[in-house]
Amino acid sequence: YPAALRYRRELAGFYLQKGQLDKVEAVLRSAIEDDPDDIERYSMLGSFFRNNYDVEKAIAEIQAYIELRPGLMDLRFYLADIFQKEGMLDEAETAYTDLAELNKLKPEEMVAKSHLAELFLRRGEYDQAGQLVDEVLENYPGNTRALAIKGNLAMQSGDYNEAIVAFRSVLKD
């Protein structure tokens, strides 16, 4: 096949329309082999499994690739995102916590912590969310995810002026 990802996507789509799932999987795996650092290729495979099999299969496949490429942080973020989207909040928390630990003193640590704060907000664990948001904003004052969470936390506590300030900051960016 041509090496360009768009051709692989088109070929996978063709096989999918024909119901040839084994060929779709082969095309997507081949695309990963051609550029194992491109997170979009893993995302395509994960989405294929989620849509055509089940989420457990997608998770198992992504976890297997993480074992093969443990330094590919985007892949770990992708797995954590799957957990969160599927409502597997404990697994998402573990994945984001691991990401923060693996990336101490790197920007990815704050990204992982902002995702954790969002997760805690979703669970109604406002104190934990607030602590993480404060830490993220201390290190990265313009982090829009953290600012949005700060606005939501302020709304929850009835501090509407603080919420407006936080949401305006998000809209500026």
Side-chain angles (χ1 to χ4, degrees):
Y1 328 115
L5 184 58
R6 76 180 178 109
Y7 297 117
R8 299 290 178 91
R9 186 180 294 117
E10 288 176 19
L11 184 57
F14 172 79
Y15 286 136
L16 189 59
Q17 287 177 344
K18 299 287 183 188
Q20 298 174 330
L21 299 183
D22 57 330
K23 289 185 178 181
V24 174
E25 182 178 345
V27 168
L28 296 176
R29 287 188 189 282
S30 174
I32 289 171
E33 289 173 14
D34 287 346
D35 189 354
D37 292 329
D38 182 3
I39 187 64
E40 185 178 356
R41 294 163 190 257
Y42 297 98
S43 176
M44 288 170 50
L45 183 66
S47 293
F48 165 71
F49 284 123
R50 284 174 72 196
N51 295 332
N52 295 285
Y53 294 99
D54 57 38
V55 71
E56 288 80 17
K57 175 87 170 146
I59 289 168
E61 290 293 327
I62 298 303
Q63 287 173 328
Y65 278 113
I66 288 172
E67 287 183 28
L68 294 173
R69 308 215 16 105
L72 189 57
M73 292 301 133
D74 285 343
L75 194 52
R76 292 174 182 271
F77 274 107
Y78 176 63
L79 179 62
D81 187 53
I82 289 173
F83 287 141
Q84 191 164 354
K85 285 179 180 173
E86 293 295 326
M88 303 168 78
L89 302 184
D90 292 339
E91 291 85 348
E93 179 181 352
T94 299
Y96 286 128
T97 301
D98 290 348
L99 272 160
E101 288 298 318
L102 287 168
N103 291 289
K104 283 285 185 202
L105 306 176
K106 294 181 186 174
E108 290 89 348
E109 175 187 12
M110 293 301 119
V111 172
K113 287 185 175 184
S114 69
H115 282 275
L116 266 174
E118 185 176 53
L119 185 73
F120 289 140
L121 176 67
R122 185 173 169 188
R123 284 184 175 161
E125 299 171 13
Y126 303 127
D127 290 340
Q128 288 178 288
Q131 290 170 1
L132 286 171
V133 164
D134 290 344
E135 182 181 350
V136 170
L137 291 175
E138 183 179 313
N139 290 288
Y140 295 96
N143 183 294
T144 54
R145 179 183 307 273
L147 287 166
I149 295 166
K150 183 176 182 172
N152 280 309
L153 289 169
M155 293 284 291
Q156 291 293 328
S157 69
D159 188 350
Y160 302 113
N161 289 330
E162 180 67 29
I164 290 169
V165 169
F167 290 137
R168 279 189 181 155
S169 297
V170 170
L171 294 174
K172 284 182 191 176
D173 293 337

